[in-house]
Each structure stands twice: as C-alpha cells, then as structure tokens.
Amino acid sequence: MKQVQDYFGCNVFNDKEMKMRLSSDVYKKLKKTIIDGKELDISVANSVAQAMKEWAIEKGATHYTHWFQPMTGITAEKHDGFISPEDDSRVIMEFKGKELVKGEPDASSFPSGGLRATCEARGYTAWDPTSFAFIKGKTLCIPTAFCSYGGEALDKKTPLLRSMQALNKQAVRVAKLFSSEVETVRTTVGPEQEYFLVDKEIYNKRKDLIYTGRTVFGALPPKGQELDDHYFGAIKPRVQEFMDELNEELWKLGILAKTEHNEVAPAQHELAPIFSTTNIAADHNQITMEIMKKVADKHGLVCLLHEKPFKGVNGSGKHNNWSISTNTGVNLLEPGDTPAENAQFLLFLVSVIKAVDDYQDLLRISVASANNDFRLGANEAPPAIISIFLGSELQAVLDSIETDTPLEKHGKSFLRIGADVLPPLPKDTTDRNRTSPFAFTGNKFEFRALGSSDSISCANIMLNTAVAESLRQFADELEGASDFNAALNALIKKTIVEHKRIIFNGNGYDDSWIEEASKRGLLNLKSTPEALPYYLAAKNVKLFTSHDVYTESEINARYLIGQEHYSKVVNIEALTVVDMLDKDYLPAISSYSKKLVDAAIAKASVGIPADYELETAKILSSGLSEAIACEKELKAAIAEAQAEENPEKKSMLYRNSVLVLMEKVRNIIDTLEGSVEESAWPVPSYGDLLYGVR
C-alpha cells in the first residue's frame, strides 16, 4: 500500500527536485531570485528549463504550458509540445529558458475592461518562480503572471504578488521597531472549500445546472437540513471514494489537503488545507477546484461550486484564514507570552482593525458576484455588512486600553502597553462566530464572506493592501518618535477609539444588527451592482496606486469587468429560465392538465366524482396563466437590459428588474410542482438532486 509521504509532491518540480537537478551555483541564484525578487539571469533560466524539461519527460510529459489566471475567475493554458524538428526528419525534445520565462497568449480574448481592444491581441505570460511548476496529465504547467503588451496586469496573480510586496515593505518597517532581525514579512492563507456533489445522470437532466451552475427552478423536498443530521455525519461510501482519490491527486501536487467532512446541507461537503504562503495558496485553490471537478466526473458525480445551487438550503462559501509571519518564525497575530510580543501583537491587531474599517467597501467588493449575492446574509453566511469579531477576552483588552482602566486577569492588573498590558493569553482567545464576515480566531483572521467559486486572490489583494496602508501610517508615526513606548501607547489607543465601530461581537443574522450598523455608519452593500462603484472612490484609487498594486487604468478595468460579468451571468440565467419555461415546464404542465381534464370527463361519463382532477386542473390552469403573463414581463425586462449600453445602469436593470421577475415566475412554477405527479414533471426534483448520491 502506498504511503502518503512516499508520493506527496511527486508531480511538483519543488525545492527537493531543484536541489537535486540544478548545480549549486544555479540553485543559489534561483533561490535569490525567489527570495529577493532579483531579475533572473537568462543562463540560469536555461539551466532551470533544461532540468525542468528532463524531469517532466521522465514523468511522461510531452507538452508544457504557461498556466495563468485571467480575470475570468478560472485558469487558462495553451499547450506546446517539447518536440523540435531535426534535419534528418527526426525530432528532439527541447525547452529553453526563454520559453520558460515568457509566453505570448492572445490577450484580446480574455476580459480586459478596455485595456485591450479586439485588434490589440498581443499579451505576455511571465514565469512566477515563487510558485512551483507541476505536472497535470502529460503537461508541464508553469505558473505565470499575465499582462498586456503595454504591461497592464490582465490577471489575478500579478496584483496579488504586488500586494504581498506592498505589505512586506510596510510590515518590515513596523516589525523592525520590535526586532532588528526581521527582514521579510509574508501573509499566509488556508482557504476552506465548500462544495456540493450530485449524481451526474441526474445533473445531465437539469439544463439550469448545466448552463448556470444553479437551479433556477425547484421546490424543496419534504426533508432539507432542518434536522442538522448531515453536518459532520457519516460520509457515504461513494462520496468517501471521491474524497480518497481527490486527496491522493492533491497530495501528488503538493497541496496540503487536511480536513474533509459533510457540511450542513444535504449533499454538501468541505475540504480544508493547511495554510501556505498566500500566492501559493491561491494557486493551490485554483488547482483544487479543477481537480475536484475532474475526480467527481470519474465517480459518476458532478461537483457544484456555485455559491447557491439550491434555493432554501445552505449555499457554499470559502473561508480565507489569513495571518502574517516574519522570516524569524513569529506570527504577528499571535498574542505571545511577553510584554514586548504583546505590544507588537496589539499594534498589528489594530492595524487590521483600521484597515477593515477604512476599506470595508473594498472587502465587500472582493467577495461580490451574482452568485454570492444569493448567499450573503441568508442566515447561512455572513451578512453583506463588513464587521470584525474579536470575542469577549480580546475586546476587554481593547476596552481597558481605550478607557485607561486596569484589565483584571488572574488576580493581577495590567495596563501599560510597553510593559504588562497583556498577560500570557491562551491560544484560543476568542469563541467562534460564524455570523461574522471577519473573525479573529486565536492567531489569524478568518474572512468568511468569500464565495465557493471565487479565486481567493481578490480578497487577499484588498486585505494585504489595506493593511499595508495602516502599517505605512503607523511606521511614519513611530519611526521618528522620541519616546517609543509613549507613542506606541497613544497610537494603539487612538486607533481603537477611531475604528471601534467596525467591531461587532454579536449575532450578525439578527435584524437589529442592520439598524445598529447603519447608526455606526457602516456600509450595507447588499448586491454586486451596489458595491462595484466603490472601486472608483478616490480613497481607493489612491490606496492602490500609492502602493503600486493597481494603476488607475487597471482599477477601472476591474470595475468594468465586474459590471459586465454580473450582467452576463444574470442574462444567461434569465435566458435559461425562459428556455426551460417554453420547452419544459409550460408544455409539461399543460399536458398534465389535459390528462386531468380527460380523466374528469371519463369519470363524469360513468357518474364517478372527479373532484381531485377538476380542482387540480383549475390550479394548474390558473398557474399557467400567471406564468405566461410573468414570462412576457421577463422577456421585456431582458430585452431592456440587453439594450442598455451603460454598464452600471445595465447591471442595476438586471438586479432590480430581471432577477425580480425570474424569482416571481420561479415561485409560480415551484408551487405548481406540488400539484403534478412525479412522472409527469419534466426535470429531476430537489429530492433527486440532494439525495441522489447513494
């Protein structure tokens, strides 16, 4: 039997392989490029390419690809063979440094938000040496950044790397005030991934799942999630077989898949990895989502990553567990055991509090999508209002600092930040609060509002950059202070006072929180079209441009892409509703109504009562009329939205008109579902989908 440790990372050109296959000099130069960000010498690139090619061919690879992450939300790849012709009609296997370092995909066929016109096709992919190359099938995949001919970032990786660099720069300034040994600071992430598994044969009979990833029609079955019996329940054998193979495939790719379990909703599950550097975590999560779908298919299953595939049961999210660490091994969000560590912890803690308060709009944008709008605030996920949960113990510490009153702990009083402000705190200084979008969980923050199909890059770009700005301001204030402890004390207290409104330790699902949040001046951006315009706010443009994360044109492009994507998604869903109405539901309901009427006539001819048939036929006939009238309104609304050229007005039309009518006609059809016998209903039911995996 294979042992995990024997094959873990076997399909990754990792540090172990590089040490073994590269000369000592080349290896050192490559590591210097990775660690210090120095430009890679072409001779080093040639040596790495040769070693990488030989390793890949040994693994059965015949092709290579620059694997990149355009603004579609998924990955992209164009495969090229290693073969190169010789004069004697033979071929050799060749791969050079220039092919490793740079590629030239078509940049006009990906979302660009106006950065590229159709006639401006040239784009570049550039090797990211901080993320290991890997084998997928018979292809060597080289993680790369993707930019336009003019150098604008057209992907999610480039700005993520920039944001990590920005945070590193400012965090080192602050950390050096406490330890001269700090040279680098990096963020780490462990993204928990939720998903649904449904039977493939049943899935193939649902056009809405095929076209949109969610059910645009469907009545709830008699049993849903109300008994809480699926959460952490025994895993079905077929699902366990899927999970076993998924783990094996992920482990081969060096992905630290750790936890697996049933989630709250029927047919819903979760996978959680061990944390890794944010850039690597983002790459790994993209790979994970792809592998999940491929492995599911092999087991006669379909993996649904849509945030809300089934109305009325919990949707799926992605929990972004984010922390900050130094090259000396210190987690800057760990409370620590000594006064100096406590002071450093408090400073970094309030830097995050300030960042989330100042840039709550950007964090909301980072999780905004047509899919996730169905989930946020639906009593299964955090509300659309961004807030921070700290827990009672940590809250008491901040309160004591704000009010200059002693903190009672284990019979002792603590106050001065430079001395004994915090006693040694237990690792878990907080409870857990699943209603909070941004919760402190002992030594990290868990950003819970991400959607299950999202790339984690956008959320971490926003978070890294916002925290970098807080730390920049802190460093500017503290570096020249004549009395460091006094300045530190005053800065932490001032930050708590100015930004405590963002801290909420209560029930985020309670309606009273919405009112309270409004009084505090917090934003409640309920939908993507409402959130996206904040991309262009002057303070946000200044944030990104001052830290070299986005240029102004790149910000504008992402705003436009977000608007266009929202409208396109809702348009596809609306057309799917119309298609299923015209081809499936309306004909089936009409046919069944006729069957009932025919049965009623036959019964009447022999003097038998036909109350059931007549009453049901009336219900169906009335419902049909309502559905037809509503569909006409929906078609008109779709046409109006499609004709609108202004992106912001277009998305609002889809939100305020098209989606409303889609929901209205859905409710009509879902109600009628209960009056039609199962064999006459044109598509598999929710019961089939949620309980079809046996």
Side-chain angles (χ1 to χ4, degrees):
M1 184 176 179
K2 292 186 296 183
Q3 299 296 312
V4 176
Q5 58 268 34
D6 295 332
Y7 67 83
F8 184 85
C10 66
N11 287 339
V12 184
F13 192 69
N14 53 26
D15 199 62
K16 176 185 173 183
E17 289 291 340
M18 289 190 287
K19 270 186 180 177
M20 185 171 64
R21 294 174 179 271
L22 300 174
S23 69
S24 176
D25 182 55
V26 168
Y27 174 78
K28 287 178 181 176
K29 289 180 179 178
L30 178 60
K31 293 296 287 186
K32 191 169 183 61
T33 294
I34 294 171
I35 295 169
D36 298 338
K38 302 296 183 185
E39 186 174 345
L40 188 68
D41 183 86
I42 189 62
S43 63
V44 173
N46 282 328
S47 297
V48 174
Q50 178 67 19
M52 197 181 284
K53 179 203 72 175
E54 291 174 357
W55 169 79
I57 290 173
E58 288 173 16
K59 292 285 183 180
T62 58
H63 289 69
Y64 69 91
T65 183
H66 276 197
W67 182 83
F68 58 103
Q69 299 170 42
M71 290 182 285
T72 55
I74 57 176
T75 59
E77 51 195 62
K78 174 173 72 79
H79 298 186
D80 287 299
F82 286 123
I83 61 169
S84 182
E86 291 279 83
D87 291 338
D88 56 0
S89 299
R90 293 182 303 160
V91 295
I92 59 172
M93 305 298 270
E94 192 172 49
F95 183 54
K96 297 179 180 178
K98 64 180 182 179
E99 295 163 331
L100 167 64
V101 172
K102 188 178 79 170
E104 291 192 24
D106 185 339
S108 63
S109 298
F110 293 102
S112 70
L115 293 175
R116 295 269 82 190
T118 304
C119 62
E120 299 171 331
R122 190 179 297 279
Y124 297 113
T125 48
W127 177 37
D128 171 17
T130 66
S131 185
F132 297 134
F134 58 93
I135 298 287
K136 189 173 66 172
K138 292 190 174 184
T139 303
L140 170 67
C141 297
I142 303 159
T144 56
F146 177 43
C147 66
S148 73
Y149 180 67
E152 299 98 344
L154 296 176
D155 66 342
K156 295 179 181 290
K157 176 184 279 285
T158 302
L160 178 61
L161 291 171
R162 292 171 181 170
S163 75
M164 292 169 64
Q165 182 173 297
L167 187 138
N168 173 65
K169 178 180 178 181
Q170 304 305 330
V172 166
R173 292 176 64 195
V174 174
K176 277 187 175 294
L177 298 172
F178 297 90
S179 171
S180 60
E181 296 178 3
V182 175
E183 297 296 333
T184 57
V185 174
R186 64 177 187 173
T187 56
T188 57
V189 170
E192 303 168 40
Q193 177 72 56
E194 295 175 343
Y195 60 97
F196 281 83
L197 289 176
V198 298
D199 185 272
K200 183 162 64 174
E201 286 189 17
I202 299 173
Y203 167 90
N204 285 335
K205 297 174 183 176
R206 294 283 314 210
K207 286 189 284 188
D208 47 1
L209 284 177
I210 292 170
Y211 295 148
T212 74
R214 76 175 180 101
T215 52
V216 296
F217 293 101
L220 282 171
K223 179 180 184 292
Q225 63 189 55
E226 60 271 21
L227 295 180
D228 301 320
D229 54 342
H230 192 258
Y231 190 54
F232 282 18
I235 299 171
K236 294 177 181 177
R238 190 174 170 195
V239 174
Q240 187 63 65
E241 289 172 4
F242 157 80
M243 289 179 171
D244 290 344
E245 184 171 351
L246 174 63
N247 286 332
E248 186 172 334
E249 292 303 313
L250 294 179
W251 290 337
K252 287 178 183 177
L253 291 168
I255 297 172
L256 295 162
K258 175 75 170 177
T259 304
E260 60 191 26
H261 61 83
N262 289 346
E263 254 299 334
V264 172
Q268 188 185 34
H269 313 279
E270 181 176 302
L271 178 149
I274 298 172
F275 71 88
S276 52
T277 305
T278 303
N279 176 40
I280 307 300
D283 285 357
H284 282 181
N285 186 247
Q286 292 293 136
I287 298 169
T288 296
M289 290 191 287
E290 178 184 339
I291 299 297
M292 289 169 84
K293 291 184 176 182
K294 288 184 177 179
V295 173
D297 186 67
K298 291 173 63 177
H299 290 264
L301 302 168
V302 174
C303 177
L304 301 178
L305 294 174
H306 193 287
E307 282 69 12
K308 191 73 170 179
F310 304 105
K311 180 184 177 182
V313 300
N314 276 15
S316 295
K318 185 145 37 192
H319 302 161
N320 191 83
N321 295 285
W322 180 91
S323 193
I324 324 173
S325 300
T326 70
N327 62 294
T328 60
V330 174
N331 179 348
L332 295 169
L333 293 179
E334 183 76 60
D337 297 324
T338 67
E341 288 175 335
N342 292 339
Q344 179 174 259
F345 159 72
L346 278 175
L347 188 61
F348 276 90
L349 176 71
V350 298
S351 76
V352 178
I353 293 171
K354 173 178 166 57
V356 174
D357 187 25
D358 286 343
Y359 298 101
Q360 53 186 280
D361 49 356
L362 289 179
L363 291 183
R364 175 64 182 91
I365 288 170
S366 76
V367 298
S369 68
N371 299 353
N372 210 23
D373 283 355
F374 288 109
R375 172 180 161 268
L376 292 179
N379 276 19
E380 65 196 59
I385 303 166
I386 300 296
S387 65
I388 293 177
F389 170 82
L390 294 180
S392 57
E393 187 167 0
L394 205 48
Q395 184 66 60
V397 173
L398 299 193
D399 289 345
S400 74
I401 294 169
E402 179 187 356
T403 59
D404 289 321
T405 55
L407 171 70
E408 297 293 334
K409 180 76 175 177
H410 305 308
K412 296 182 180 180
S413 296
F414 302 88
L415 181 61
R416 288 171 49 236
I417 291 174
D420 294 325
V421 64
L422 277 177
L425 293 176
K427 187 174 180 90
D428 294 321
T429 58
T430 69
D431 193 356
R432 298 186 68 189
N433 187 334
R434 67 184 302 168
T435 74
S436 174
F438 201 85
F440 185 72
T441 56
N443 61 358
K444 63 185 183 299
F445 278 98
E446 183 180 27
F447 190 13
R448 297 175 56 88
L450 281 73
S452 53
S453 65
D454 284 348
S455 162
I456 68 169
S457 292
C458 189
N460 287 288
I461 290 166
M462 305 301 198
L463 186 53
N464 289 345
T465 311
V467 174
E469 175 58 20
S470 293
L471 294 173
R472 182 195 66 76
Q473 294 178 30
F474 287 1
D476 287 349
E477 188 166 337
L478 293 174
E479 283 174 341
S482 56
D483 185 338
F484 176 73
N485 277 348
L488 177 63
N489 193 344
L491 176 59
I492 292 176
K493 179 177 178 178
K494 180 181 75 169
T495 305
I496 294 169
V497 171
E498 291 178 352
H499 299 284
K500 64 182 180 180
R501 67 171 185 168
I502 200 72
I503 301 171
F504 178 64
N505 295 314
N507 181 7
Y509 293 166
D510 196 313
D511 289 341
S512 63
W513 168 231
I514 297 175
E515 184 179 346
E516 170 65 21
S518 178
K519 290 178 181 177
R520 296 187 186 191
L522 302 181
L523 295 170
N524 185 10
L525 304 173
K526 296 179 181 179
S527 69
T528 296
E530 291 173 88
L532 287 172
Y534 285 84
Y535 244 135
L536 307 180
K539 72 177 182 66
N540 295 335
V541 173
K542 182 179 179 181
L543 171 75
F544 289 128
T545 55
S546 65
H547 289 280
D548 297 322
V549 172
Y550 289 128
T551 64
E552 195 162 347
S553 60
E554 288 171 343
I555 297 167
N556 192 64
R558 279 151 181 80
Y559 160 74
L560 289 173
I561 289 169
Q563 294 282 17
E564 291 170 359
H565 187 264
Y566 179 90
S567 295
K568 288 176 180 177
V569 167
V570 179
N571 185 65
I572 291 169
E573 291 181 348
L575 294 178
T576 301
V577 167
V578 170
D579 182 83
M580 294 182 74
L581 280 171
D582 289 342
K583 297 178 181 177
D584 299 310
Y585 291 109
L586 299 183
I589 294 168
S590 177
S591 178
Y592 188 65
S593 298
K594 181 179 183 301
K595 180 180 177 180
L596 290 172
V597 171
D598 289 344
I601 293 171
K603 283 186 174 183
S605 69
V606 294
I608 299 174
D611 296 351
Y612 163 73
E613 287 82 2
L614 291 173
E615 287 300 318
T616 306
K618 287 178 182 177
I619 291 170
L620 295 178
S621 179
S622 175
L624 270 176
S625 297
E626 287 183 58
I628 291 168
C630 188
E631 185 188 23
K632 287 181 180 178
E633 290 184 69
L634 175 59
K635 287 178 178 177
I638 294 170
E640 182 184 4
Q642 289 174 338
E644 176 58 57
E645 295 185 358
N646 181 283
E648 193 168 325
K649 291 180 180 178
K650 180 188 283 283
S651 66
M652 290 303 292
L653 280 172
Y654 276 110
R655 176 191 178 273
N656 294 332
S657 182
V658 175
L659 272 177
V660 171
L661 289 166
M662 286 168 59
E663 187 65 14
K664 183 179 178 181
V665 76
R666 176 190 184 137
N667 289 336
I668 295 169
I669 298 299
D670 289 358
T671 300
L672 296 181
E673 184 177 346
S675 298
V676 178
E677 70 177 54
E678 188 173 358
S679 62
W681 199 244
V683 298
S685 68
Y686 263 31
D688 298 326
L689 288 162
L690 293 172
Y691 297 100
V693 178
R694 295 180 175 86

